[in-house]
């Protein structure tokens, strides 16, 4: 939550011409506030991916800062002890769980065949030379790939009404 809060503060200080909404622990009104907004920016953590339904074209850009690997806990510690080495555990448990969570996150953005949006994955481990590049590409829906921010702008202008940019 702390990195989300820090980024939210930095963007807020830039005085962007958008409503900014931060989803914090215990703040259940953020999702409703976002759904009712016009072109707001929602700052949220992975918990937003579970049990949240934002139908239609309200959500347009999902920015994933870090791949959603599971957070260690006593159960995962025990699970890890069942494997002879970390690589085997990584391949058998951690990567599949991360990919499921990533697919859930993407599912918040693309709910139906008519939904459009941009998925930006900033984690270098998903990049062209990244360790998980192929696995991540495999779970993404069939789509165009952008290399520059201008590509994203062009895509959104093709897909969204002019009111989206007001």
């Amino acid at each position: 939550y702390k990195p989300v809060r820090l980024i939210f503060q930095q963007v807020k200080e830039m005085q962007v011409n958008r409503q900014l909404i931060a989803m914090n622990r215990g703040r259940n009104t953020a999702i409703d506030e976002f759904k009712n907004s016009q072109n707001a920016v929602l700052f949220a953590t992975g918990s937003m991916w579970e049990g949240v339904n934002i139908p239609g074209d309200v959500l347009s850009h999902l920015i994933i800062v870090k791949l959603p690997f599971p957070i260690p806990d006593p159960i995962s510690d025990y699970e890890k002890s069942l494997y002879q080495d970390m690589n085997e555990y990584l391949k058998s448990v951690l990567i599949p769980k991360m990919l499921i969570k990533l697919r859930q996150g993407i599912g918040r953005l693309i709910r139906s065949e008519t939904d459009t949006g941009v998925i930006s994955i900033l984690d270098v481990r998903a990049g062209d030379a990244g360790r998980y590049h192929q696995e991540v590409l495999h779970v993404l829906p069939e789509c165009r790939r952008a290399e520059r921010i201008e590509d994203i702008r062009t895509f959104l202008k093709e897909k969204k009404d002019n009111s989206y940019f007001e």
Side-chain angles (χ1 to χ4, degrees):
Y1 288 91
K2 184 178 179 179
V4 171
R5 193 172 51 251
L6 292 172
I7 292 170
F8 176 79
Q9 267 316 117
Q10 287 180 346
V11 173
K12 192 174 181 179
E13 289 170 9
M14 295 168 59
Q15 298 180 348
V16 295
N17 192 23
R18 295 269 184 253
Q19 179 183 0
L20 304 177
I21 302 167
M23 186 174 161
N24 299 312
R25 282 189 181 137
R27 181 163 183 231
N28 299 334
T29 61
I31 298 299
D32 290 333
E33 195 176 334
F34 180 70
K35 286 179 184 179
N36 296 324
S37 71
Q38 290 289 328
N39 287 333
V41 177
L42 175 64
F43 294 80
T45 64
S47 63
M48 188 260 184
W49 293 3
E50 298 165 4
V52 174
N53 185 21
I54 303 175
D57 219 18
V58 175
L59 203 55
S60 60
H61 193 167
L62 176 65
I63 301 173
I64 300 169
V65 178
K66 286 180 66 180
L67 292 173
F69 279 97
I71 297 168
D73 62 16
I75 294 171
S76 64
D77 288 343
Y78 171 74
E79 215 172 30
K80 184 169 58 173
S81 74
L82 301 176
Y83 291 85
Q84 291 190 354
D85 67 21
M86 186 59 184
N87 279 337
E88 187 181 339
Y89 176 62
L90 189 66
K91 286 182 199 174
S92 301
V93 178
L94 294 181
I95 294 173
K97 283 184 178 182
M98 178 272 291
L99 294 173
I100 289 168
K101 188 88 167 168
L102 183 60
R103 191 175 285 137
Q104 284 178 325
I106 293 164
R108 300 304 107 202
L109 177 66
I110 308 297
R111 305 292 292 167
S112 72
E113 290 183 22
T114 59
D115 286 347
T116 59
V118 175
I119 302 162
S120 297
I121 302 175
L122 307 182
D123 194 319
V124 296
R125 298 173 295 176
D128 289 338
R131 183 176 186 178
Y132 308 113
H133 179 72
Q134 288 304 317
E135 291 92 338
V136 168
L137 282 181
H138 184 71
V139 299
L140 293 174
E142 191 173 316
C143 58
R144 292 192 323 210
R145 189 165 170 211
E147 297 292 332
R148 303 168 304 139
I149 195 138
E150 291 82 22
D151 299 336
I152 294 172
R153 233 180 246 120
T154 300
F155 172 79
L156 290 172
K157 284 185 178 181
E158 288 172 9
K159 302 292 181 183
K160 305 291 182 183
D161 292 329
N162 287 337
S163 62
Y164 174 83
F165 301 96
E166 294 173 357

